Amino acid sequence: MKYNKVNIKGKVINMKIRNKILFLINNMKIRRKLILVYIIAVVIPVIIVSSYLTLTMRNMVMNRAINEASTNTDRIQFRLNEVLKIATDVSDRLYFDKGLANIVLKDYSDDRFAVVSAYNNYQVFDEYLRYYQELQSVRFYVNNQTMLDNSQFIKTTAGVQNTDWYKKTIKSDGRVTWQYIYDDYGKQKYLSLTRLIKMGEVKDWCVLVINVSDTYLNSIIKDEPYESIGAIDDGKVVMALNNKIKGNKIKSLESINLKVNLQNDNEEIVYNGIPSMVITNSFLPNRTSNKFQVFSIIPINKIVNDANKASMNGIIIMTFSLVISITLIMLLTKVLSNRIIVLRGDMHKVVLGDFDIGKNIEGTDEIGELHTDLTIMIESIKQLIHEVYEEKLLKEQLSNRQREVKFKMLASQINPHFLYNTLETIRMKAHCNGQHEIANIIKILAKLMRRNLEVTNKVVSLESEVELMENYLIIQKFRFGERINFEINILCDIKKYRVIPLLFQPIVENAFVHGLETKEGECKLIINIERNENDLLISVIDNGVGIEENKLIIINGKLNNFNEDDEQRIGLCNVNQRIKLLYGEHYGVVIESEKNEGTIVVINLPIDKEGFIRC
């Protein structure tokens, strides 16, 4: 009960608000109504749509830039991965290089010149450096203290063994490891492949260091439209055009305000004090345990600069258009309001009985036409006032004439009994004169006419409908002679079925008019009446001229179109609609036909459990 009271109270409040709004609108001047409608229907939607399009354009430009940066990042990743693959392949070859093993494992204590000769004869390192411009240098750290140091073969000292990169390489146990380390000979840091090379006994194991060309790495990113940075899994920057940030960790680069979660694909950051978008791409090179990451940093201002220009131009155009349109609507409403005020004043004078109004309002629009019509109406009223008595007399005369016409129409109607009696008299005359066939046809025609004139909306027996149809076909047979043959095949008990009147006579008439009359040669019409489990099927089959496919589609479409103006007309559409109205949409008339092959029309009616047609 409480819930119902709350609902009723809410409805009452809504009704009051609605009535108040209607009151305000109804008492508002037309000019204000037009301006209000213009603001609601034009100004507000234009502002909303323009704002939406501006934001959409900005997002589209942003997404396009992000996609472009992602593509660039993928390209950088691909090229960087190729460089790493080259270094890895070189390390694999050196790992199994027997010539290198022979140099490292040999004792040169007795012959110092042998080591120089071995170095001169072993040119594999130089060949790799000449062939692969991606590689800067190759360092091979050995434990053989009898060897001499040069830029390629370096004896491992205690200082080297205590470095982090060396310890990490030994710990990797022969796996490829990527590190950013300082090269004593090159006097700078390089992205380096380090790998433990196992030769002979443990004391003979060596460490391979392949330095990647910093110049080549820079060439990968120097032509990129956005600043790009490469880092390894410990977060150290190994590839950047800005040498100041190389070797530093991404998360600790406070000087450039780059704070980014390495797990995200993209994120908004502050880079050098500028809001930017960073695109991150991570990958793991083959046969290595290091994860590499490539970052593309896109200034957001650069992304949306063009969009902001377009948006500003759109806002300027929108504002200019709105100002012009509002000015025009104000002028238009003022002119319209003034014309309506003049029309209202003249109409008020007419209401008070003063028919002396001013000149017509200029113009041929609706208001001008209304004022013209008002002037004509005033003239008509004046004339009516002077002719009131004459008008009454004229109406009385017209009324008398109408009653006279109705009487004559009733008197001229033919009594149906007179028609039947006349036909019976003609039939008897023909019978007496030996014209038995003519007499029989007249008798059948009289039955047919009596039945059609007595048709009502009440249901009739199917047997009477079949008899009516048989009489009709006998008359057609009389007309066309041997050219027309017909069959009525009754395959069920039709005595207990009751149907709507004139059910399939229109269909048979159509078969003659549109199918058989224009056919040359023998014409045949077959009517089959049968039933299945739940339906009664009445089929009208002719071998007439048939119906073209396009015309058949139009006819089938019109079967379901019911025109109230044609309710009294008996036809296919009428029969179909009456069946559907009485029995439901699942029943009705179906037409199948082929050009020059004939036509089949099937009527489908429902049968109830007791075997009767449901009515």
Side-chain angles (χ1 to χ4, degrees):
M1 183 65 69
K2 184 177 180 180
Y3 177 74
N4 291 335
K5 288 182 178 179
V6 172
N7 282 344
I8 293 173
K9 186 176 180 181
K11 291 181 179 178
V12 171
I13 294 174
N14 292 335
M15 184 67 70
K16 288 182 179 179
I17 294 174
R18 188 181 68 177
N19 291 337
K20 188 174 182 179
I21 294 173
L22 290 175
F23 177 79
L24 292 174
I25 293 175
N26 292 334
N27 289 279
M28 188 182 295
K29 299 297 184 182
I30 290 180
R31 185 182 182 188
R32 293 182 179 177
K33 289 180 182 178
L34 291 173
I35 295 174
L36 179 62
V37 169
Y38 176 78
I39 292 174
I40 295 174
V42 178
V43 176
I44 294 177
V46 166
I47 294 175
I48 293 174
V49 171
S50 299
S51 302
Y52 172 77
L53 292 177
T54 300
L55 292 175
T56 302
M57 183 183 299
R58 184 181 186 278
N59 292 333
M60 287 176 61
V61 173
M62 179 78 75
N63 292 333
R64 184 176 62 185
I66 291 173
N67 292 334
E68 181 182 352
S70 297
T71 303
N72 295 339
T73 306
D74 292 338
R75 183 172 61 252
I76 294 172
Q77 171 197 330
F78 176 78
R79 295 186 63 186
L80 179 58
N81 196 30
E82 288 294 317
V83 174
L84 303 180
K85 184 176 181 297
I86 289 171
T88 302
D89 291 342
V90 171
S91 72
D92 289 341
R93 296 172 193 170
L94 294 177
Y95 194 96
F96 298 102
D97 191 342
K98 293 181 179 180
L100 180 61
N102 291 333
I103 294 174
V104 173
L105 297 176
K106 186 176 180 181
D107 186 359
Y108 300 98
S109 301
D110 299 330
D111 188 2
R112 288 291 183 177
F113 293 101
V115 66
V116 176
S117 177
Y119 289 169
N120 292 332
N121 292 330
Y122 188 78
Q123 299 294 321
V124 175
F125 290 168
D126 294 331
E127 289 176 359
Y128 284 145
L129 294 177
R130 285 194 300 270
Y131 187 75
Y132 298 112
Q133 60 177 338
E134 295 87 350
L135 305 181
Q136 179 69 29
S137 59
V138 178
R139 314 294 185 203
F140 203 70
Y141 289 83
V142 299
N143 290 322
N144 188 348
Q145 299 300 318
T146 64
M147 297 180 66
L148 297 176
D149 288 343
N150 64 3
S151 62
Q152 294 178 344
F153 292 93
I154 306 169
K155 288 186 291 185
T156 304
T157 63
V160 173
Q161 292 176 350
N162 290 328
T163 59
D164 292 335
W165 70 265
Y166 190 88
K167 293 178 180 179
K168 187 175 181 180
T169 303
I170 298 299
K171 187 177 180 180
S172 297
D173 194 29
R175 296 190 303 274
V176 172
T177 303
W178 288 97
Q179 303 183 65
Y180 193 68
I181 61 178
Y182 182 79
D183 182 70
D184 292 329
Y185 289 89
K187 303 301 181 182
Q188 71 175 73
K189 289 185 176 182
Y190 291 101
L191 172 63
S192 304
L193 178 149
T194 62
R195 187 174 187 179
L196 179 63
I197 305 296
K198 297 179 180 181
M199 296 182 179
E201 299 179 1
V202 175
K203 65 181 181 64
D204 297 321
W205 289 359
C206 306
V207 172
L208 172 66
V209 177
I210 300 177
N211 296 322
V212 178
S213 172
D214 196 56
T215 302
Y216 189 84
L217 291 179
N218 289 339
S219 69
I220 295 177
I221 59 176
K222 71 175 182 178
D223 294 327
E224 294 298 323
Y226 308 114
E227 184 164 354
S228 301
I229 298 174
I232 52 179
D233 56 356
D234 60 358
K236 284 187 178 179
V237 177
V238 298
M239 182 174 63
L241 294 177
N242 184 1
N243 291 325
K244 292 181 180 180
I245 66 174
K246 288 183 180 179
N248 295 320
K249 291 192 175 182
I250 289 292
K251 292 184 178 180
S252 63
L253 295 180
E254 299 295 339
S255 61
I256 61 172
N257 295 323
L258 177 57
K259 299 176 182 178
V260 59
N261 184 349
L262 297 179
Q263 301 301 320
N264 291 343
D265 291 333
N266 57 75
E267 185 176 331
E268 289 192 12
I269 63 167
V270 176
Y271 181 69
N272 288 339
I274 300 173
S276 304
M277 178 72 70
V278 61
I279 308 298
T280 307
N281 196 348
S282 302
F283 69 97
L284 183 67
N286 292 334
R287 301 195 305 280
T288 64
S289 58
N290 294 81
K291 181 180 179 182
F292 279 78
Q293 290 181 306
V294 178
F295 304 93
S296 285
I297 303 171
I298 317 165
I300 293 179
N301 289 336
K302 185 175 182 181
I303 297 175
V304 299
N305 187 40
D306 294 338
N308 289 338
K309 285 184 179 179
S311 300
M312 184 58 65
N313 293 335
I315 292 173
I316 293 173
I317 294 173
M318 177 190 69
T319 304
F320 180 76
S321 300
L322 288 177
V323 169
I324 295 297
S325 61
I326 290 174
T327 303
L328 292 176
I329 198 68
M330 293 293 290
L331 293 175
L332 178 63
T333 53
K334 182 174 179 60
V335 173
L336 182 64
S337 179
N338 292 338
R339 290 162 64 83
I340 292 176
I341 290 172
V342 174
L343 177 62
R344 183 192 64 183
D346 289 345
M347 293 182 68
H348 186 67
K349 290 173 68 176
V350 173
V351 170
L352 296 177
D354 183 4
F355 296 145
D356 187 12
I357 63 174
K359 297 180 179 179
N360 290 342
I361 297 177
E362 295 181 358
T364 58
D365 60 355
E366 289 80 356
I367 298 176
E369 291 178 351
L370 281 174
H371 198 274
T372 302
D373 293 341
L374 177 62
T375 304
I376 296 173
M377 183 185 69
I378 291 172
E379 295 298 328
S380 299
I381 291 174
K382 289 180 180 179
Q383 184 177 359
L384 288 173
I385 291 174
H386 293 291
E387 298 177 356
V388 61
Y389 296 107
E390 290 82 0
E391 187 69 22
K392 287 184 178 180
L393 292 175
L394 180 61
K395 288 183 178 180
E396 186 65 28
Q397 291 176 0
L398 290 174
S399 178
N400 292 334
R401 289 180 182 178
Q402 288 177 353
R403 287 194 292 270
E404 182 180 352
V405 169
K406 288 182 179 180
F407 177 77
K408 289 181 179 180
M409 290 176 63
L410 290 172
S412 64
Q413 287 183 347
I414 299 177
N415 192 326
H417 293 286
F418 170 76
L419 180 62
Y420 303 148
N421 293 336
T422 302
L423 287 174
E424 180 64 17
T425 302
I426 296 172
R427 186 184 72 82
M428 293 303 297
K429 286 287 185 181
H431 184 74
C432 293
N433 292 331
Q435 299 292 331
H436 302 295
E437 184 179 10
I438 296 176
N440 186 46
I441 290 300
I442 293 173
K443 180 180 179 180
I444 294 173
L445 178 61
K447 288 182 179 181
L448 191 64
M449 293 182 65
R450 179 184 292 274
R451 173 63 187 281
N452 287 338
L453 291 173
E454 292 177 352
V455 167
T456 64
N457 289 328
K458 296 181 180 180
V459 294
V460 298
S461 67
L462 179 59
E463 184 179 18
S464 65
E465 283 291 294
V466 173
E467 181 181 358
L468 174 67
M469 196 76 287
E470 188 174 8
N471 290 336
Y472 175 80
L473 291 173
I474 291 173
I475 294 175
Q476 292 289 19
K477 177 70 175 176
F478 177 78
R479 288 181 58 206
F480 293 98
E482 296 300 325
R483 181 166 165 260
I484 295 290
N485 292 310
F486 68 89
E487 294 181 13
I488 300 178
N489 301 318
I490 301 173
L491 306 177
C492 60
D493 185 8
I494 63 175
K495 293 182 180 180
K496 61 181 180 180
Y497 298 142
R498 299 186 67 78
V499 297
I500 56 178
L502 295 177
L503 181 63
F504 52 89
Q505 179 182 339
I507 297 173
V508 175
E509 288 180 357
N510 281 343
F512 273 96
V513 173
H514 301 292
L516 299 177
E517 288 186 358
T518 58
K519 177 181 173 63
E520 296 181 0
E522 182 181 0
C523 301
K524 190 169 185 179
L525 187 138
I526 301 173
I527 300 175
N528 293 330
I529 302 175
E530 55 187 335
R531 64 163 290 181
N532 55 23
E533 184 176 355
N534 298 316
D535 299 327
L536 179 71
L537 301 176
I538 302 173
S539 304
V540 179
I541 306 169
D542 68 74
N543 65 342
V545 296
I547 306 173
E548 295 181 354
E549 182 178 357
N550 293 338
K551 188 174 182 181
L552 180 61
I553 293 173
I554 295 173
I555 294 173
N556 282 324
K558 289 183 177 180
L559 279 178
N560 295 318
N561 295 331
F562 181 68
N563 188 346
E564 293 183 355
D565 296 336
D566 296 336
E567 284 184 347
Q568 302 301 324
R569 183 175 61 83
I570 305 299
L572 282 176
C573 295
N574 184 277
V575 172
N576 187 53
Q577 289 293 334
R578 287 193 296 153
I579 293 174
K580 289 184 179 296
L581 290 173
L582 186 59
Y583 302 118
E585 289 294 330
H586 297 294
Y587 304 96
V589 178
V590 178
I591 304 174
E592 297 179 1
S593 181
E594 292 185 11
K595 184 67 175 177
N596 299 324
E597 295 294 331
T599 303
I600 301 174
V601 181
V602 180
I603 301 174
N604 185 19
L605 302 175
I607 298 176
D608 60 20
K609 295 180 180 179
E610 298 178 358
F612 296 94
I613 296 178
R614 299 199 301 269
C615 298

